[in-house]
Amino acid sequence: MGSDINPNHMDAVAVLYMSKWLVAELIRVFHDVDTATATEAVDALAERQLENVWVVDGKKRVLTDKLTLHDKTLLLLYSESSAVAEKDLLAWTEAANASSYRRDILKKCHKARLIEYDDAGRVVRLSPKGARYVEENIPLLSSL
């Protein structure tokens, strides 16, 4: 009987979001914080672990050379649960020129609504549309 159940991606997503909601509610109630603060705490705990992103000495590296700078940037942002400083993305991607990276990658991704780029604060955050792009177009495992 139990062998008839075939969990799939949709089931996993449902379980993930229900679990995040439950933990956020526990944090909110037991620590007497607002919903936004509790949600941020849970998101920080639920950091994505990706085989193609390696963390070494506080730096991140994409372990494949088959991705464009555009896709490497989105993958690195996908691996983070919060906003990333532009200078960190520049270091992680090893982009040769900051102004062309800003113009050709960050501003174009912002215009396409793949990211939210704060030009004044030099901070970047992946949008839900950007996360969907990564999940549908970039292999997340080390099959590259």
Side-chain angles (χ1 to χ4, degrees):
M1 234 182 222
S3 63
D4 295 340
I5 298 172
N6 184 11
N8 59 31
H9 178 74
M10 191 167 67
D11 297 326
V13 170
V15 169
L16 173 67
Y17 282 98
M18 285 187 278
S19 299
K20 286 174 71 172
W21 173 81
L22 180 63
V23 173
E25 280 298 297
L26 291 171
I27 290 171
R28 186 183 65 77
V29 170
F30 287 111
H31 294 280
D32 196 30
V33 296
D34 61 75
T35 303
T37 303
T39 302
E40 284 179 27
V42 171
D43 287 342
L45 292 172
E47 182 179 332
R48 295 176 177 114
Q49 298 295 318
L50 306 173
E51 291 181 27
N52 281 328
V53 177
W54 178 41
V55 181
V56 58
D57 298 328
K59 293 179 259 185
K60 290 194 172 197
R61 294 288 184 248
V62 174
L63 295 178
T64 179
D65 57 354
K66 295 180 181 179
L67 296 178
T68 64
L69 188 56
H70 171 274
D71 285 356
K72 285 180 183 180
T73 299
L74 294 175
L75 181 60
L76 288 164
L77 288 168
Y78 185 83
S79 74
E80 289 287 315
S81 59
S82 59
V84 177
E86 177 189 286
K87 65 180 176 64
D88 290 336
L89 278 175
L90 281 164
W92 296 347
T93 60
E94 297 177 307
N97 183 302
S99 61
S100 64
Y101 179 73
R102 195 174 296 122
R103 179 190 67 233
D104 298 335
I105 304 297
L106 298 180
K107 289 187 178 182
K108 286 182 179 179
C109 284
H110 175 82
K111 187 174 183 178
R113 296 297 182 243
L114 297 171
I115 64 171
E116 180 59 31
Y117 174 54
D118 178 1
D119 195 14
R122 302 276 191 234
V123 176
V124 186
R125 180 183 295 270
L126 189 68
S127 73
K129 182 179 178 182
R132 191 170 48 253
Y133 173 88
V134 171
E135 291 165 354
E136 293 174 357
N137 298 290
I138 301 174
L140 302 176
L141 303 176
S142 61
S143 60
L144 294 173

